[in-house]
Each structure stands twice: as structure tokens, then as C-alpha cells.
């Protein structure tokens, strides 16, 4: 499959939350009282019936599907707060450029958790039902719609906001904005997960960006968002469902007002794609709410359905799905995130696209981050100095084509073109030609007539004990492997460090081991190592993301305490 060379704005982008969160350019927070203003009173979304037409494969009209899904109470549009702007507000110039409006609403209700009857199997054909466990919630949704109802094309796109870095980010809106805003779509960004709302989650620092700017909603602007309340991710699937159902309602007092929604498509990238994989297999068969799904850059895993209910590695999209699903995968996703282990053949309601020359995050990531961030801060942040070399490949234009094809599939049943698979070797690595370009996959002029090596891999550099990486150069080697020995109290070799990501931001994961068995360890101090942030990823692992490795000229020193006593990494020349 070959893509046509289509011109595209260089300023639309994805911000991959694990490496450089979109909120990196948000304004700083300050203390304030709880509660934001709104120009309307709280009401239940009880507008007129939407979507009277038949959908793909004879799907029932939205109004019929709404009957079994409770509508949330709606408050808004929300105004005020410390900054008087919604978190993740789109660039101001786009309102006039595309003829769109943007409003934020608070949604409140009681959410239900889901549970599986029996084992969660790799084929995704799970028997799932709503449980008796419910919890109250108040979350928010950012709604963008054509200013004129006549310009609306009938489709609402709902994004599951990514929370990999401990705050909301909207990567798929960054990728798709040109496509959505140029063609009359309505869009809703849903804060579905607790980490994006409540304090206490993972936070990854970004050089020259205030820590307060990289925060969940209630920390970033407590005056605006103080009334929000999230009960936990066991309830996230139902919160997402209720939010989509509520926004899709038509009528006075509803977020979309006079727009007549005919169909609803869910989108989510990276961590959010893991959640949507589980949603497709577990929740969609129960709710039948969405007309289609863009599952963008998922890996080997699917997200937990509930606490203690983890899908197996390599979970696939169920073959008895009844609504269109398009999976989009970059080189990074197959090799770095292990999607190669979740591959499956296309079937009646599944198409998977794999694109050569693409990375999980790329140049468009930085472009969108800078442009969108100007709404929150006038700080002059140059993210290119943080990321060093970064992929400038064709992902954005292919993702937009993928979404357009998915939309046609939903509207009139025209199935997207079949994608060739990227060639992978027996070790799960992308096969490359003599120039280093991936073989197979969707092809574009950027890889068939290359002027640069476009790849989803990082350029590896391996350092052993005592080796030196020159000051500032580390940013140009996103994947750095450092091996060292550290002696614990029992004289056991404890220390092993390895590259934890390849998404453009240097990162190290420190894992403490005894006889090659992971044990609990935590950092107790660092010296001359800027950019460290700790986050417990599992009982056996602590992750440290470095924006730069030892930016000073002094040696980087890290000390941590493991289960078998203290250990330290001293005088490692990683500056």
C-alpha cells in the first residue's frame, strides 16, 4: 500500500505523554479556592433524540442505544479559575481559522465497574458484565464543534485522554486536528482516568518548565478544577461511556446544542489505546455505544479491566466484534512496545495498518507542543534541545488517512485498504534495507525516495563502568544503556541499569536484582543528575526518566536502597 504525497501543516502534532507531555507548556499553578464558574446551571442532558439514521452493518440509531446508558449531570460551560482557560485548550488561532468553538463542561454521575466471568483469554472473547460496584464521580470534557450547525458532518469523535505522564494529554487531537477541523467533525476530550484528575500520580519533569505546569487538573488549577472527583480507574470505562453518551445528546443545555449527532467514534493513542483495546473486547459488547474505534499505537498489552483482572500479553481484538476497529502501528510500537506479539489477521471488523519510517513520537510532537503551549505560557521552551535527534517521518499524514478511511467504513461500509505488514525477524526486530529503512508496511515517498534514515528505533550507545559521555551529548542518544556493579550489605551484586524507552527522551530504568531476581529498590539521593523523577511501576521496579543525563560537568551519582541493604553508584562518569 502506497500513500500519496499530501501536503500537511507541520504544526499539528502528537505529544507522547511518556516522553514529553503536552502539558509541558501549561501555565504554572497557584493556590486558589475550590470551584470554577459556569455560564449555565447544572442540568441533566435530556435533549432531543440524536442519530435517527442507521449506522454501519445496520447498527441501531444512537437514541436506541442511549436507553441503557445513564446521562451524566452537566455543568457549564465552565469559566474562571486561575488561568481562565481549559487545560489542553487548542491554539487560539484555530478558532477563526477553522470556524470552531471550544467549551469545557463538568460531568457528574454514578459510574459502574465491570468484571469478567471467567478467564480473560488472549482472543479477547471475554464474558463481561457490569458489577454491583458503583461510585460517584465528577470529571470534565473539552468540547470542540463547528460554530455553525450547517458545517457539522454528523460525527462526534471522542478521545480517551492519555495520562502516561500523570496529567491529561490529547495526542490524537494533535495528529488529527487538520482532518477533524477541516471537515466539520465535533470532538470531545474526556478525562476518563484518575491520574489526569487527582494529585499523587506520576510526574516527569521537563527542563525549563515549572513543575506546577506538569500536573493533574486539581493541582494545575485548583480554583477551576477543585470540585472534580475521580473514584479510580475501575470506573474509567463507564465514565468514558457516560461522557460520550452525554456529549452526543442533542438539545438545549447539552454540550453540542443543536448539532444532530449521527455516529460516535472513539480514538486513543498509546496508553489510551491500551484502554481502548480492553474497551473493544469487554465493554463495547455490553454498551454498543460507539460506531467505530481508532486504536492508535497500542503495544503487546491491553489495560486492566479492573483491579486483579489483567488481560494476557498479546491480547487481540475479538473476532466477533460487530463495529469497525482500525489499529494503527508505528515501527516503535511493533518493536519497542511489543505489538508484534499481538498481531492478528484482519477480519470482518478489524483492519491493522503498519507504517514504515514512523516513530511513536516524532517531529510533529514537538511542533504541536510548542504551538498549543503558547495558550498557557509565554515561556520560550525549545523542546528540540531536550529531545536531540527525532523522527521527522510521515506518521501524521498516514494517521489522518487512516482516520478518514475508518470514517468511510463507519458511514457507508467501505472497508479500508489492507496494509502490508512490516517485515520482522525472528527476534521481533524490524528488518531493514541497506540504507536502514524498514522493509514492508505502508510506503511513502519519505521512505521510498529517502533523504534521511527514518526509523522508530533510537540510536543506541552502550556505556560500561567508567565510560564517559560528553556533556550535553546524551540528548542525542535517546537510548543509553549503562551497566555497573554495586555491592550490597550481603556482598551480592545488585545493580543493573538499562534503557527504558526509545521515544526521543533519554531514560534509564534502574532495577535492583539479587541472583537475577528483581527486588524492591528506591533511590535515596542523586547528585549532578538533572531531570530525575521516580515512579513506582511495579513492586520490583522504579523508573527514572532523565531529560538529560548529568547536564553538569561533574560525575553523575545515584544512590538507592534495596531489600538487601544500601548500594550506591558513585563516580560514574555520565556527564
Amino acid at each position: 500500500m502506497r500513500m500519496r504525497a499530501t501536503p500537511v501543516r507541520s504544526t499539528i502534532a502528537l505529544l507522547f505523554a511518556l516522553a514529553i507531555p503536552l502539558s509541558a507548556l501549561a501555565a504554572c499553578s497557584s493556590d486558589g479556592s475550590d470551584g470554577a464558574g459556569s455560564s449555565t446551571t447544572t442540568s441533566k442532558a435530556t435533549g432531543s433524540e440524536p442519530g435517527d439514521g442507521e449506522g454501519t452493518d445496520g447498527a441501531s440509531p444512537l437514541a436506541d442505544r442511549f436507553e441503557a446508558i445513564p446521562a451524566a449531570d452537566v455543568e457549564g460551560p465552565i469559566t474562571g479559575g486561575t488561568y481562565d482557560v481549559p487545560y489542553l485548550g487548542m491554539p487560539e488561532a484555530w478558532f477563526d481559522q477553522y470556524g470552531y468553538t471550544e467549551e469545557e463542561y463538568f460531568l457528574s454521575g454514578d459510574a459502574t465497574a465491570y468484571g469478567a466471568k471467567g478467564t480473560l483469554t488472549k482472543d479477547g472473547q471475554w464474558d463481561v458484565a457490569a458489577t454491583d460496584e458503583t461510585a460517584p464521580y465528577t470529571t470534565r470534557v473539552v468540547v470542540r464543534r463547528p460554530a455553525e450547525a450547517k458545517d457539522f458532518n454528523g460525527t462526534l469523535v471522542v478521545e480517551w485522554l492519555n495520562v502516561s505522564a500523570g496529567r491529561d494529554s490529547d495526542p490524537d487531537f494533535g495528529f488529527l486536528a487538520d482532518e477533524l477541523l477541516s471537515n466539520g467533525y465535533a470532538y470531545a476530550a474526556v478525562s476518563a482516568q484518575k491520574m489526569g484528575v487527582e494529585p499523587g500520580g506520576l510526574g516527569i519533569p521537563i527542563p525549563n518548565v515549572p513543575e506546577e505546569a506538569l500536573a493533574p487538573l486539581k493541582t494545575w488549577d485548583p480554583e477551576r478544577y477543585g470540585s472534580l472527583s475521580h473514584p479510580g480507574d475501575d470506573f474509567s470505562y463507564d465514565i468514558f461511556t457516560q461522557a460520550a453518551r452525554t456529549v452526543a445528546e442533542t438539545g438545549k443545555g447539552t454540550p453540542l446544542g443543536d448539532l444532530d449527532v449521527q455516529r460516535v467514534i472513539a480514538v486513543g493513542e498509546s496508553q489510551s489505546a491500551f484502554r481502548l483495546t480492553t474497551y473493544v473486547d469487554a465493554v463495547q459488547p455490553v454498551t454498543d455505544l460507539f460506531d467505530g474505534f481508532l486504536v492508535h499505537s497500542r503495544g503487546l498489552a491491553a489495560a486492566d479491566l479492573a483491579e486483579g483482572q489483567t488481560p494476557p500479553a498479546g491480547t487481540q481484538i475479538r473476532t466477533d466484534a460487530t463495529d469497525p476497529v482500525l489499529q494503527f502501528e508505528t515501527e516503535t510500537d511493533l518493536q519497542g512496545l511489543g505489538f508484534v506479539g499481538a498481531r492478528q489477521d484482519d477480519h470482518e471488523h478489524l483492519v491493522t495498518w503498519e507504517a514504515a519510517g514512523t516513530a511513536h513520537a516524532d517531529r510533529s510532537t514537538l511542533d504541536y507542543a510548542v504551538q498549543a503551549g503558547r495558550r498557557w505560557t509565554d515561556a520560550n521552551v525549545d523542546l528540540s534541545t531536550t529531545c536531540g535527534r527525532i523522527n521527522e517521518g510521515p506518521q501524521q499524514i498516514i494517521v489522518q488517512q487512516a482516520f478518514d478511511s475508518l470514517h468511510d467504513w463507519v458511514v457507508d461500509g467501505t472497508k479500508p485498504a489492507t496494509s502490508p505488514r512490516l517485515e520482522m525477524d525472528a527476534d521481533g526486530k524490524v528488518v531493514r534495507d541497506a540504507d536502514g529503512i524498514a522493509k514492508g508496511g505502508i510506503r511513502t515517498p519519505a521512505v521510498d525516495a529517502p533523504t534521511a534514515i527514518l526509523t522508530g528505533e533510537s540510536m543506541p550507545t552502550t556505556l560500561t563502568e567508567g565510560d564517559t559521555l560528553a556533556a550535553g551529548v546524551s540528548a542525542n542518544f535517546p537510548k543509553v544503556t549503562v551497566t555497573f556493579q554495586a555491592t550490597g550489605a550481603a556482598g551480592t551484586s545488585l545493580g543493573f541499569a538499562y534503557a527504558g524507552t526509545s521515544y526521543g527522551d533519554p531514560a534509564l530504568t534502574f532495577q535492583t536484582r539479587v541472583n537475577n531476581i528483581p527486588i524492591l529498590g528506591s533511590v535515596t539521593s542523586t547528585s549532578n543528575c538533572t531531570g530525575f523523577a521516580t515512579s513506582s511501576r511495579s513492586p520490583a521496579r522504579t523508573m527514572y526518566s532523565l531529560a538529560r543525563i548529568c547536564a553538569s560537568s561533574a560525575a553523575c551519582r545515584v544512590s538507592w536502597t534495596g531489600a538487601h541493604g544500601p548500594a550506591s553508584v558513585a563516580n560514574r562518569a555520565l556527564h
Side-chain angles (χ1 to χ4, degrees):
M1 177 179 180
R2 294 182 181 272
M3 292 290 301
R4 62 185 182 275
T6 305
V8 60
R9 285 160 37 103
S10 63
T11 52
I12 310 296
L14 158 72
L15 188 58
F16 175 53
L18 187 60
I20 307 172
L22 174 61
S23 52
L25 301 181
C28 302
S29 177
S30 61
D31 293 336
S33 59
D34 287 354
S38 63
S39 58
T40 68
T41 58
T42 301
S43 63
K44 183 72 72 173
T46 54
S48 59
E49 293 185 350
D52 293 329
E54 290 290 318
T56 302
D57 298 328
S60 61
L62 283 177
D64 293 348
R65 290 179 261 164
F66 282 0
E67 292 181 0
I69 303 171
D73 293 328
V74 180
E75 179 185 354
I78 301 300
T79 58
T82 304
Y83 312 109
D84 195 24
V85 62
Y87 198 67
L88 300 183
M90 72 177 182
E92 287 183 293
W94 293 2
F95 296 115
D96 291 336
Q97 179 179 344
Y98 292 103
Y100 265 68
T101 65
E102 175 183 80
E103 293 177 326
E104 183 175 52
Y105 294 86
F106 290 171
L107 306 180
S108 300
D110 292 308
T112 300
Y114 288 90
K117 303 173 185 177
T119 304
L120 297 178
T121 53
K122 184 177 177 179
D123 62 10
Q125 296 191 32
W126 310 329
D127 186 4
V128 173
T131 69
D132 294 332
E133 186 178 5
T134 63
Y137 73 90
T138 300
T139 192
R140 66 84 185 243
V141 60
V142 178
V143 177
R144 295 159 190 153
R145 54 155 288 176
E148 300 292 336
K150 63 181 177 60
D151 295 327
F152 179 49
N153 71 357
T155 300
L156 168 64
V157 177
V158 184
E159 181 168 4
W160 187 305
L161 291 177
N162 185 301
V163 296
S164 292
R167 76 282 303 180
D168 284 343
S169 66
D170 57 349
D172 266 332
F173 182 75
F175 270 121
L176 298 174
D178 266 348
E179 173 70 21
L180 300 181
L181 304 183
S182 297
N183 291 287
Y185 291 90
Y187 167 88
V190 179
S191 296
Q193 290 183 255
K194 183 176 182 178
M195 193 176 291
V197 175
E198 303 285 353
L202 164 67
I204 297 177
I206 303 297
N208 304 317
V209 178
E211 180 180 350
E212 295 85 354
L214 308 175
L217 297 173
K218 292 173 72 171
T219 301
W220 181 71
D221 193 338
E223 182 180 347
R224 186 180 182 101
Y225 295 117
S227 64
L228 299 187
S229 176
H230 198 295
D233 284 357
D234 284 5
F235 304 94
S236 63
Y237 299 104
D238 197 34
I239 290 173
F240 187 69
T241 301
Q242 290 188 32
R245 178 253 189 268
T246 301
V247 174
E249 194 91 48
T250 299
K252 184 177 181 180
T254 63
L256 289 180
D258 58 349
L259 299 191
D260 181 15
V261 178
Q262 298 292 316
R263 61 200 73 88
V264 186
I265 296 176
V267 301
E269 193 269 350
S270 190
Q271 176 265 335
S272 301
F274 297 176
R275 307 296 294 187
L276 285 187
T277 300
T278 299
Y279 192 103
V280 169
D281 286 344
V283 183
Q284 178 69 3
V286 178
T287 65
D288 191 33
L289 176 61
F290 292 96
D291 296 281
F293 297 85
L294 175 63
V295 179
H296 180 186
S297 284
R298 61 164 292 204
L300 178 67
D304 287 359
L305 176 61
E307 185 175 357
Q309 297 192 43
T310 302
T315 291
Q316 299 180 339
I317 300 298
R318 55 191 306 155
T319 56
D320 61 349
T322 58
D323 300 286
V325 179
L326 195 153
Q327 294 184 128
F328 184 94
E329 303 295 322
T330 69
E331 290 184 25
T332 315
D333 306 327
L334 275 102
Q335 180 170 315
L337 296 185
F339 177 75
V340 65
R343 270 178 165 175
Q344 64 185 113
D345 293 336
D346 290 353
H347 55 70
E348 183 180 1
H349 290 98
L350 173 69
V351 170
T352 300
W353 283 14
E354 298 178 1
T358 57
H360 193 90
D362 54 21
R363 172 57 58 185
S364 62
T365 299
L366 302 186
D367 292 340
Y368 180 61
V370 171
Q371 185 171 12
R374 293 191 182 114
R375 190 162 178 199
W376 300 309
T377 178
D378 57 3
N380 184 19
V381 179
D382 183 3
L383 294 180
S384 64
T385 63
T386 299
C387 291
R389 291 179 293 189
I390 192 166
N391 183 288
E392 298 188 11
Q395 180 179 183
Q396 186 181 34
I397 58 173
I398 308 177
V399 170
Q400 290 183 358
Q401 180 63 59
F403 179 82
D404 183 65
S405 297
L406 171 64
H407 187 247
D408 287 346
W409 193 8
V410 167
V411 172
D412 61 23
T414 302
K415 196 171 183 179
T418 300
S419 165
R421 297 294 189 250
L422 287 165
E423 292 188 27
M424 308 292 288
D425 64 20
D427 296 323
K429 295 185 177 181
V430 175
V431 176
R432 304 191 179 280
D433 63 19
D435 292 325
I437 302 295
K439 294 184 176 181
I442 297 174
R443 315 297 295 181
T444 63
V447 294
D448 282 346
T451 59
I453 299 175
L454 298 175
T455 172
E457 297 182 51
S458 298
M459 300 297 291
T461 295
T462 300
L463 306 177
T464 56
E465 185 172 356
D467 286 350
T468 300
L469 190 61
V473 176
S474 59
N476 289 325
F477 295 91
K479 185 176 182 180
V480 179
T481 302
V482 183
T483 306
F484 52 78
Q485 297 289 314
T487 303
T492 307
S493 178
L494 297 178
F496 178 68
Y498 63 95
T501 183
S502 59
Y503 308 131
D505 190 21
L508 297 180
T509 300
F510 284 77
Q511 191 171 28
T512 307
R513 289 174 174 264
V514 172
N515 297 327
N516 209 35
I517 300 174
I519 62 174
L520 180 64
S522 60
V523 161
T524 56
S525 65
T526 64
S527 174
N528 296 317
C529 301
T530 61
F532 269 108
T534 64
S535 66
S536 294
R537 287 301 179 106
S538 71
R541 183 177 297 181
T542 303
M543 182 174 181
Y544 306 91
S545 177
L546 292 114
R548 288 195 177 187
I549 303 173
C550 296
S552 72
S553 60
C556 175
R557 303 186 183 198
V558 179
S559 298
W560 80 91
T561 300
H564 286 66
S568 65
V569 185
N571 296 319
R572 295 288 73 79
L574 303 179
H575 46 284

